Amino acid sequence: MTNLLDWRLDLLCGATLSNRVAKAAMSEGLADSGNHSTPRLETLYRRWAGSGAGLLLSGNIQVDRWHLERPNNIVIDDDSGRAQLARLAEAGTSRGAHFWAQLSHTGRQVSSYINPAPLSCSDVEIDVMRNAGFSFAKPRPMTEVEIGRAIDQFAFAAKEVKDAGFTGLSVHAAHGYLISQFLSPLSNRRTDRWGGSLENRARLLLEAIVAIRRAVGPQFPIGIKLNASDFQKGGFTNVECVELVRLLNGVGLDLLELSGGSLEQPKVVGVTLKDEGEDGPRASALRREAYFVAFAGAVRKVAGMPVMVTGGFRSIAGEVDKLVSPEATLNVFHILPWNSMQIERLGDGLDPDLSLTGEAAMTAFVELEGRNMAALLDRRRRRAA
């Protein structure tokens, strides 16, 4: 069997990854109440830097502090966290791996406690299971000025992570966040130049990449995370994904990461909650651990940049059919809390606790996020006073 750890990967910008294994982005929630990096994040990424992966992708680094995935995300929308960000970049690159910052804007997918009037392409609310602990407000359609500001925020954050010492960045255009909202006909009901045709719905993504490239120069790696499909009836499909990749070939991307689904349809953890539409279960996908490999072939045929697939990978060496996966026994609503509490342990320099139950993880996670949310809101109140 070919060892992926031995394969170098030359990127279009001139950079080289030492191998083709990447640590995909995972939400850390380890920033402080000011949304700056912390020593715990440095501990986490210094550990992952020694994993042997050629590329580490950070969790969500938000470009707008009013649009957070979690209360303790890192935010880069001013210059206040530069020193902390530089220490994090040093930790992630300490063993020679590439360390890329994943830049994101949540759009409507933000807790109503953090933002009771979030921005999105249209005023379409998130369709999530009720009584599942989510609280999202109805979004407000963005004006032309606000769309332009979001593009500028991505470019500003891109320049900041480059200056901090990250070796690349990835734009989050998947999983139901802002750019994904623009791409989906379900959430994008606009009739102006930002809605309707695929070319119009993709305009935010394309213009953001152009602005980012202008900010970081030609030799800094830029990737994106894109849904192979939203897996929702009437949503962004694999056919549209393939067509979008054709458009992306001309904007200087170095890596395309394929994922899928959203909070409404969490396919990234292998879960289906509603009708998947035309991209419903494919036999080839059901036989694999890698959830999106069945969709990658069509994309790879047209992609002018390397294609990465995420989701469901457990074994590289081929010495076992499947590694031990305690999370496989968890209730769907316990998966995120269980993984989050393991990351908390790693940030403290501890090993994962594989005996942790889903129920215990949920209880601990709710308490933790409650404290973090209270600290964030208290800091905001004090700053506004």
Side-chain angles (χ1 to χ4, degrees):
M1 177 180 176
T2 302
N3 188 346
L4 296 180
L5 291 171
D6 295 333
W7 286 11
R8 293 162 58 92
L9 181 62
D10 296 324
L11 304 178
L12 299 177
C13 67
T16 298
L17 303 182
S18 61
N19 60 62
R20 302 190 181 206
V21 176
K23 192 246 4 134
M26 291 181 281
S27 178
E28 310 105 350
L30 297 180
D32 61 24
S33 62
N35 300 112
H36 298 146
S37 184
T38 61
R40 296 180 75 210
L41 273 166
E42 295 165 31
T43 297
L44 180 69
Y45 278 95
R46 190 166 282 110
R47 176 172 183 149
W48 280 337
S51 66
L55 171 62
L56 308 179
L57 289 162
S58 80
N60 283 323
I61 294 179
Q62 305 295 352
V63 302
D64 184 325
R65 68 184 58 251
W66 293 99
H67 291 86
L68 305 180
E69 168 235 348
R70 295 173 65 185
N72 282 30
N73 288 146
I74 293 176
V75 175
I76 306 176
D77 60 4
D78 59 28
D79 61 4
S80 62
R82 284 177 172 171
Q84 298 94 319
L85 198 65
R87 289 194 291 269
L88 176 60
E90 189 281 326
T93 58
S94 60
R95 301 288 291 274
H98 268 254
F99 184 24
W100 295 9
Q102 179 178 262
L103 303 183
S104 181
H105 188 303
T106 66
R108 66 180 184 172
Q109 203 161 280
V110 54
S111 168
S112 60
Y113 296 104
I114 294 173
N115 191 337
L119 298 177
S120 186
C121 42
S122 304
D123 61 353
V124 180
E125 294 186 80
I126 302 177
D127 181 19
V128 294
M129 293 181 66
R130 303 304 173 191
N131 303 317
F134 300 118
S135 176
F136 299 115
K138 186 174 183 177
R140 178 171 61 79
M142 298 171 76
T143 65
E144 282 271 350
V145 170
E146 288 167 334
I147 293 173
R149 182 169 184 269
I151 292 170
D152 290 344
Q153 287 175 313
F154 274 102
F156 175 83
K159 182 63 163 55
E160 290 291 306
V161 298
K162 179 186 178 183
D163 291 347
F166 285 81
T167 59
L169 64 88
S170 177
V171 178
H172 203 328
H175 298 172
Y177 294 118
L178 180 66
I179 295 175
S180 182
Q181 291 160 33
F182 270 81
L183 290 173
S184 172
L186 287 177
S187 50
N188 188 343
R189 307 287 177 81
R190 300 179 75 100
T191 58
D192 60 5
R193 69 193 187 104
W194 305 95
S197 68
L198 175 61
E199 290 80 4
N200 282 354
R201 284 182 278 124
R203 193 181 305 276
L204 173 62
L205 172 59
L206 294 170
E207 293 198 6
I209 294 171
V210 169
I212 288 169
R213 178 57 76 194
R214 188 182 304 119
V216 300
Q219 296 180 314
F220 192 71
I222 300 175
I224 69 165
K225 177 183 286 182
L226 181 67
N227 275 357
S229 171
D230 288 350
F231 299 100
Q232 286 183 258
K233 188 175 181 180
F236 180 72
T237 66
N238 187 241
V239 170
E240 287 196 318
C241 175
V242 171
E243 290 305 308
L244 176 55
V245 170
R246 294 182 193 273
L247 299 176
L248 291 169
N249 282 337
V251 294
L253 280 181
D254 295 284
L255 184 66
L256 170 62
E257 177 187 355
L258 287 180
S259 190
S262 65
L263 194 60
E264 296 177 322
Q265 186 83 302
K267 293 293 289 186
V268 74
V269 291
V271 175
T272 298
L273 298 178
K274 57 184 66 176
D275 189 340
E276 295 186 15
E278 67 183 71
D279 293 326
R282 301 183 182 183
S284 58
L286 295 175
R287 290 195 301 267
R288 295 176 180 269
E289 288 185 324
Y291 307 139
F292 309 112
V293 164
F295 298 90
V299 171
R300 190 176 182 187
K301 288 178 181 177
V302 303
M305 73 291 289
V307 177
M308 169 182 164
V309 180
T310 190
F313 289 96
R314 306 191 196 286
S315 177
I316 295 172
E319 296 171 357
V320 294
D321 292 332
K322 187 175 182 180
L323 297 180
V324 175
S325 50
E327 75 280 5
T329 63
L330 299 175
N331 177 293
V332 60
F333 296 112
H334 293 164
I335 294 174
L336 186 150
W338 191 88
N339 283 286
S340 294
M341 298 315 299
Q342 303 297 357
I343 287 177
E344 289 285 321
R345 291 180 60 85
L346 295 178
D348 289 332
L350 303 173
D351 290 332
D353 177 10
L354 300 186
S355 68
L356 181 67
T357 66
E359 291 80 5
M362 173 62 85
T363 298
F365 179 74
V366 169
E367 293 177 353
L368 173 67
E369 289 295 274
R371 292 195 302 271
N372 290 342
M373 183 72 78
L376 173 74
L377 298 180
D378 180 64
R379 182 184 178 91
R380 287 183 174 181
R381 283 191 293 267
R382 287 187 284 106
R383 289 175 64 88

